[in-house]
Amino acid sequence: MTDHALRLLRQDRRLAELAAFPFDFDLARAAHGHVEEVRLASGGPLETVAGDDTGGTYFICADGAVLYADSEGAAGIIGSSVDETLELVIGLPGWRGYARLSPDDDEEKILACVAETEDGIREHYGIDEERAGLLKALGFPKRSPVELVGRLRAALLRTEPDFVLLNADEGCAYDRIGPAGPPLWEPVLAAGRADLACLREGDRRAWREVAEDPVRRRITLRAAQFDRAEGDLELLRHLLRHETRSSMTDELRLAAVLVALRGDTGDLTLLLEARETDYDTACGLGGMPEPGASADELQQWARALDESMFGTAPSDEPVSTWTDLARDQGMTGLARVTLIRELDNIFMDQSRLRRPEAPHNLATALLSGLARDFEELGDLPQALRAQRLYAALQETAWDRASARHTLARLEREAGRLPQAADSLAAVRDALATPGDDSLRHWQQVNLGRFIAEEHYRLTLALADAGRPEEARALLTASDAILGELSENAANGVRELAKRTAARVREVN
C-alpha cells in the first residue's frame, strides 16, 4: 500500500487534528520522539511519524511497515504501511485492546469486544461521525472489525525477528505486543522434517545429499529425535556413518543413541567404529558396551544417554541447541532475538543461574556462552552486555582477571576505548591484590601472555585514535606486565611490544 493518506494528513491541518483526536494518531508528537532512545535489534532504520497521548510512538521501518511502541516497554508491527495503520487506528480506535484477538475467534466474540470498547469511548466523546468523515476524506473504505482484527494479528506476527525494538542504552528488548510467534524449534526443524520425510520415502538422491551436507544431516537427526519411527534404523545408520566426519558433535552422540536404542547387537561394530574415529569421539561416546555385549546392555547404555541428554520433546532442549542450528541455517535474526530475550530473562532474574545441586553458587558459564554467541553473530553491544554481567559475577581472582580481560577486548573492538582502559585497570588490580591464590602462577601461563597482549593492542588503538597521553600511560603499564612474565610467555609478546612502542613514539 502507498502512504497517500499520510500525505493528505500532512497537507490538511483539519484532517491531521481529526486523526490526533479522537483517533490518537498525532503527527505533531513525532517532534518529541519516543520516551527513550530505541533501536531495532536488526540494525534497521526507524523514522518517527506520530505519537499518542499515552506516550506511545509510531515508527516507520525500512520496508514501510509501522512499528508501534508503547511507553511501558512493549512494541509490535501493526501495519504494512502508514495508510494501513491509519485504517486500523480509525477503524478500531481501541485497537490496543484487541491485540490478543484472532480471526479464528468467533465473530460474535470479536464484535462484542469491539462494541464494549467503543461504547466506553462514546461515553466521553464521539467517534462515529468523525470516523465516517475521516475515512471518506482519506479515501478508505469502511471495513468490518473482524477484517481489521485479522489484519492487526497478521501484522503483529511479523514483528520477530526483523522488528524487535531495543532500549538503545541498556540493550534489552521490548516485550511483544499481541500473540507470541511459534517457538524457535519449529522453523529450525522445518527443513529437517522435510528431509526426514524424503529419506523415509527412499529418495536415494536425498539419502546422498542429506548425508553429505553437515547442516542438513544435523537437522535431520534432530527431526528424527522427536519423530521416532520403527522403520528408521537403516537411515539412522546411514546418517551415523556420515556424522563421524564432523568428529564429536551432539548429533553424533544422538545418532549413536537412536541406533543403539533398537538393541541390534549387529550395530556394535558400526557404533564402535564411530567411537574410535578420534580422541574426541572416544571421550564423547565413552561407556559404550564392548564387542559381545547383549542387546539389553546396548539399550541400557542408550537409554541412559537419551534420558540425560536428549528426549522426545523439543521444548525440553536447551535454547542453545536451537540458536546454534538456526545460525547454521542462516536464520541469524531469529537466533539473535532468541538470545537477546534469554539474556533479558537472566538480567531480570539472576536466580536462573543458580545450580540446583548448590543453590548458593551461580553457573555463570551460560553468560560467557551468550557473549561468544553474540560475538559470532557480529552483535558486539549484546556481547558486551553479557560479558559485563559475567565479569561482575566472578568470585576468584583468576576468573575476575580473565573475564575483565575478555571484556576489555570486546570494548576495544567496539571502539569503546576508555571503557576498555578501565577494564584493564581492573585486571591489573586483580593481579596486584588477588585476595586468593588462584593467580599465583599467572606469569607463567597463557593468561599472563593474553593480558599483556591486550594491553599492547589497546595501547595501539589509543595511539591510532589520537590519544597519545593515554597511550603512553598504558604503554608503561603494558611494559610492567611484560616484565613480570616468564621468558617463554614473554617471547610471544615481544614483537607486539616493539611495534606498539614505535607507534606511540610516532604519534608523540
Side-chain angles (χ1 to χ4, degrees):
M1 296 179 66
T2 67
D3 286 334
H4 171 72
L6 176 61
R7 290 193 294 272
L8 290 178
L9 292 185
R10 286 172 168 168
Q11 294 165 5
D12 190 321
R13 181 176 179 179
R14 181 184 64 84
L15 294 179
E17 290 175 347
L18 190 56
F21 182 81
F23 301 107
D24 215 9
F25 187 90
D26 191 346
L27 297 179
R29 291 181 183 269
H32 303 294
H34 195 46
V35 293
E36 62 185 4
E37 290 296 317
V38 292
R39 63 182 178 86
L40 289 178
S42 65
L46 287 173
E47 175 192 350
T48 306
V49 66
D52 64 25
D53 62 7
T54 67
T57 307
Y58 296 90
F59 298 97
I60 303 177
C61 303
D63 68 347
V66 173
L67 179 75
Y68 175 80
D70 67 24
S71 59
E72 302 300 319
I77 293 291
I78 62 170
S80 62
S81 68
V82 179
D83 280 11
E84 186 174 300
T85 300
L86 281 166
E87 278 203 74
L88 174 72
V89 300
I90 298 168
L92 289 178
W95 69 266
R96 286 183 289 277
Y98 315 140
R100 294 286 178 182
L101 292 177
S102 163
D104 296 331
D105 289 324
D106 183 79
E107 180 175 335
E108 183 177 346
K109 175 184 175 181
I110 295 174
L111 294 176
C113 183
V114 171
E116 180 181 1
T117 300
E118 295 193 354
D119 285 346
I121 295 174
R122 292 185 186 98
E123 292 179 3
H124 302 283
Y125 48 81
I127 57 172
D128 297 308
E129 291 183 9
E130 293 82 356
R131 173 159 52 198
L134 189 53
L135 288 175
K136 181 177 180 181
L138 298 179
F140 292 150
K142 179 174 175 55
R143 300 187 189 276
S144 74
V146 175
E147 181 181 356
L148 291 173
V149 165
R151 284 187 171 198
L152 173 61
R153 184 176 181 85
L156 289 170
L157 287 171
R158 289 184 53 211
T159 303
E160 294 193 358
D162 296 329
F163 304 104
V164 171
L165 197 64
L166 305 180
N167 175 292
D169 293 329
E170 298 175 2
C172 54
Y174 272 48
D175 293 333
R176 187 169 185 161
I177 293 177
L184 180 59
W185 57 264
E186 284 192 10
V188 168
L189 279 182
R193 287 170 164 170
D195 280 338
L196 180 60
C198 289
L199 296 182
R200 286 172 173 170
E201 291 171 0
D203 184 334
R204 304 316 296 181
R205 179 178 177 181
W207 276 57
R208 182 182 68 256
E209 292 179 351
V210 171
E212 293 178 355
D213 186 316
V215 174
R216 291 179 68 181
R217 189 171 63 234
R218 291 176 63 201
I219 299 165
T220 302
L221 281 166
R222 287 294 178 176
Q225 174 185 350
F226 306 112
D227 179 11
R228 305 184 182 193
E230 286 299 322
D232 285 350
L233 182 54
E234 190 54 44
L235 68 88
L236 291 171
R237 290 167 174 159
H238 181 65
L239 295 176
L240 172 59
R241 291 187 187 97
H242 285 77
E243 186 60 21
T244 57
R245 299 177 183 178
S246 298
S247 187
M248 191 60 236
T249 64
D250 285 340
E251 285 71 29
L252 176 62
R253 188 183 283 114
L254 171 61
V257 165
L258 293 176
V259 168
L261 281 172
R262 308 309 170 92
D264 187 338
T265 56
D267 287 321
L268 271 171
T269 300
L270 171 61
L271 292 166
L272 291 169
E273 286 176 357
R275 187 187 69 180
E276 300 306 319
T277 300
D278 54 34
Y279 178 77
D280 290 336
T281 58
C283 295
L285 295 175
M288 181 183 293
E290 297 297 329
S294 68
D296 285 344
E297 291 173 316
L298 182 59
Q299 289 179 310
Q300 184 177 358
W301 172 80
R303 278 195 294 267
L305 272 182
D306 193 24
E307 291 172 3
S308 64
M309 300 192 65
F310 302 111
T312 57
S315 57
D316 290 341
E317 284 290 321
V319 68
S320 58
T321 297
W322 306 122
T323 54
D324 288 350
L325 290 172
R327 190 173 57 198
D328 289 345
Q329 293 181 80
M331 301 176 183
T332 54
L334 280 172
R336 178 187 293 109
V337 168
T338 302
L339 292 169
I340 289 173
R341 295 207 183 278
E342 182 76 1
L343 182 56
D344 287 349
N345 290 336
I346 295 173
F347 267 92
M348 292 296 292
D349 181 11
Q350 291 182 22
S351 67
R352 292 164 57 93
L353 298 175
R354 297 195 183 281
R355 301 176 186 272
E357 72 281 5
H360 296 294
N361 297 326
L362 298 181
T364 57
L366 175 59
L367 283 168
S368 61
L370 285 170
R372 287 192 298 273
D373 287 340
F374 283 123
E375 187 177 4
E376 290 174 4
L377 288 170
D379 194 335
L380 284 181
Q382 294 294 340
L384 279 168
R385 188 170 160 235
Q387 186 66 26
R388 197 174 293 119
L389 180 58
Y390 174 71
L393 295 176
Q394 299 314 300
E395 297 181 353
T396 70
W398 177 285
D399 291 338
R400 290 197 302 274
S402 177
R404 290 286 179 180
H405 156 265
T406 301
L407 179 60
R409 175 181 62 78
L410 291 171
E411 288 168 333
R412 171 178 57 81
E413 292 175 355
R416 302 182 182 185
L417 303 187
Q419 293 89 336
D422 289 342
S423 294
L424 286 185
V427 171
R428 295 195 297 276
D429 287 343
L431 297 179
T433 56
D436 58 45
D437 63 356
S438 60
L439 282 171
R440 63 185 182 277
H441 299 306
W442 71 267
Q443 301 93 335
Q444 286 85 39
V445 295
N446 280 336
L447 178 62
R449 178 168 66 87
F450 295 154
I451 290 172
E453 287 175 345
E454 187 54 39
H455 273 73
Y456 284 117
R457 290 195 177 98
L458 181 56
T459 301
L460 279 172
L462 290 167
D464 291 342
R467 296 171 175 260
E469 293 184 5
E470 295 167 71
R472 284 198 300 272
L474 191 58
L475 179 61
T476 300
S478 306
D479 289 342
I481 290 174
L482 180 62
E484 293 197 52
L485 297 183
S486 67
E487 189 65 21
N488 285 339
N491 285 338
V493 187
R494 295 194 196 284
E495 182 58 36
L496 176 60
K498 291 178 183 178
R499 180 156 47 89
T500 303
R503 178 60 180 141
V504 172
R505 288 194 298 271
E506 181 181 309
V507 298
N508 286 333

